[in-house]
């Protein structure tokens, strides 16, 4: 659902300059960052490998699709664990994502992840995110500080919010997008600002999107014992 609409308005953004080369992360929609988020300390691909892999479709109905990713030689070369991940996407009164990971290994493992949602907006510099007031956030190149008021997106922003509330809102003019994290206790807000013009698959379209993500990253990383399973979700509604 790279270009979904709810309430007659475009919800998710896909870059007109999209690079669809196999193995290249897509700029738009809701890429899944797993089994790590952000840069890897050993220089492995940023945001893990899940967003660059072909997932198997295991079921499809009129309003629900379920996909599966299981470890193989290529994934174990980057992350030496056996796992089964599933992503269910359902369109109803909103757009709902359910993400699960099962540990198929003989040892415990720790992972982090985020649903990297690209929201289509009228002008990113006029947008804000509400609901994160007072929450500690880590921003690239800045110290960790409590958030004061709304997160205003009139400047470049790349921030991770720990222990975020279940519900936050993206304010886009007269439209409010409600983003619920169901067991996803982290929130990430990314807006490259004018610097996005220098990114090949964004270019002059940098004002057209804002990323507001839910997941479990940083201090909220998940540790699974052998045979255990983690299940969480994200629901998006337009007000």
């Amino acid at each position: 659902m790279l270009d979904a609409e709810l309430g007659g308005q475009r919800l998710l953004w896909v870059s007109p300059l999209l690079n669809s080369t196999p193995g290249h992360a897509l700029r738009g929609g809701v890429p899944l960052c797993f089994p790590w988020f952000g840069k890897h300390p050993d220089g492995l691909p940023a945001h893990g490998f899940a967003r660059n892999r072909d997932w198997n479709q295991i079921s499809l109905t009129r309003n629900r699709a379920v996909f599966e990713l299981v470890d193989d030689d290529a994934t174990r070369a980057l992350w030496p664990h056996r796992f089964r991940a599933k992503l269910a996407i359902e369109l109803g009164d909103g757009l709902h994502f359910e993400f699960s990971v099962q540990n198929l290994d003989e040892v415990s493992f720790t992972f982090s992840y985020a649903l990297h949602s690209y929201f289509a907006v009228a002008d990113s510099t006029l947008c804000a995110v509400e609901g994160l007031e007072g929450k500690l956030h880590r921003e690239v190149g800045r110290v960790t500080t409590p958030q004061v008021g709304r997160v205003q997106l009139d400047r470049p922003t790349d921030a991770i919010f720990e222990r975020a509330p279940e519900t936050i809102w993206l304010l886009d003019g007269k439209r409010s997008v409600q983003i619920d994290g169901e067991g996803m206790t982290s929130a990430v807000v990314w807006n490259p600002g004018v610097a996005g013009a220098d990114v090949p698959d964004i270019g002059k379209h940098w004002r057209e999107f804002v990323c507001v993500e839910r997941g479990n990253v940083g201090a909220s990383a998940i540790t699974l014992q052998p045979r255990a399973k983690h299940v969480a979700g994200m629901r998006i509604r337009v007000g």
Side-chain angles (χ1 to χ4, degrees):
M1 296 182 179
L2 290 180
D3 194 8
E5 292 188 6
L6 289 176
Q9 292 181 284
R10 189 179 182 198
L11 177 67
L12 299 177
W13 180 82
V14 179
S15 174
L17 306 178
L18 183 75
N19 182 346
S20 58
T21 303
H24 188 278
L26 299 180
R27 181 71 69 184
V30 188
L32 174 60
C33 304
F34 168 84
W36 58 84
F37 178 82
K39 294 182 179 180
H40 192 280
D42 297 329
L44 296 177
H47 293 321
F49 49 74
R51 63 182 186 153
N52 299 326
R53 296 295 305 267
D54 290 331
W55 290 53
N56 294 320
Q57 180 181 293
I58 59 176
S59 68
L60 178 65
T61 63
R62 182 175 177 273
N63 64 338
R64 178 180 168 87
V66 182
F67 304 90
E68 180 181 72
L69 179 66
V70 180
D71 66 278
D72 57 21
D73 290 343
T75 67
R76 291 191 296 273
L78 298 172
W79 193 59
H81 298 293
R82 302 186 64 87
F83 69 91
R84 174 178 290 111
K86 289 185 180 180
L87 181 65
I89 307 171
E90 185 170 356
L91 184 61
D93 62 342
L95 186 58
H96 184 256
F97 298 81
E98 181 182 270
F99 179 58
S100 68
V101 179
Q102 184 177 11
N103 183 348
L104 302 181
D105 221 327
E106 300 303 320
V107 297
S108 63
F109 59 63
T110 299
F111 63 94
S112 58
Y113 67 90
L115 293 172
H116 199 317
S117 315
Y118 286 78
F119 290 100
V121 298
D123 184 341
S124 61
T125 66
L126 302 178
C127 293
V129 178
E130 190 171 68
L132 294 169
E133 298 82 356
K135 299 300 179 181
L136 288 178
H137 76 269
R138 294 183 286 112
E139 187 162 0
V140 176
R142 298 175 183 270
V143 297
T144 299
T145 57
Q147 174 63 36
V148 177
R150 294 173 174 174
V151 183
Q152 300 290 344
L153 300 179
D154 54 350
R155 65 174 182 84
T157 304
D158 190 359
I160 297 173
F161 294 81
E162 307 287 359
R163 296 180 176 85
E166 179 176 330
T167 299
I168 59 178
W169 295 267
L170 169 62
L171 306 180
D172 172 26
K174 296 181 179 180
R175 183 174 73 159
S176 173
V177 181
Q178 179 177 326
I179 307 161
D180 296 327
E182 301 164 347
M184 296 185 180
T185 62
S186 302
V188 181
V189 180
W190 180 56
N191 164 39
V194 69
D198 296 326
V199 179
D201 53 1
I202 296 178
K204 65 180 182 180
H205 303 282
W206 63 271
R207 290 179 183 267
E208 299 174 5
F209 75 93
V210 166
C211 290
V212 183
E213 312 162 38
R214 300 308 304 256
N216 284 298
V217 306
S220 298
I222 304 297
T223 297
L224 278 184
Q225 299 300 317
R227 308 303 163 182
K229 187 176 183 179
H230 168 76
V231 183
M234 178 178 74
R235 187 182 301 275
I236 304 168
R237 299 183 178 94
V238 176

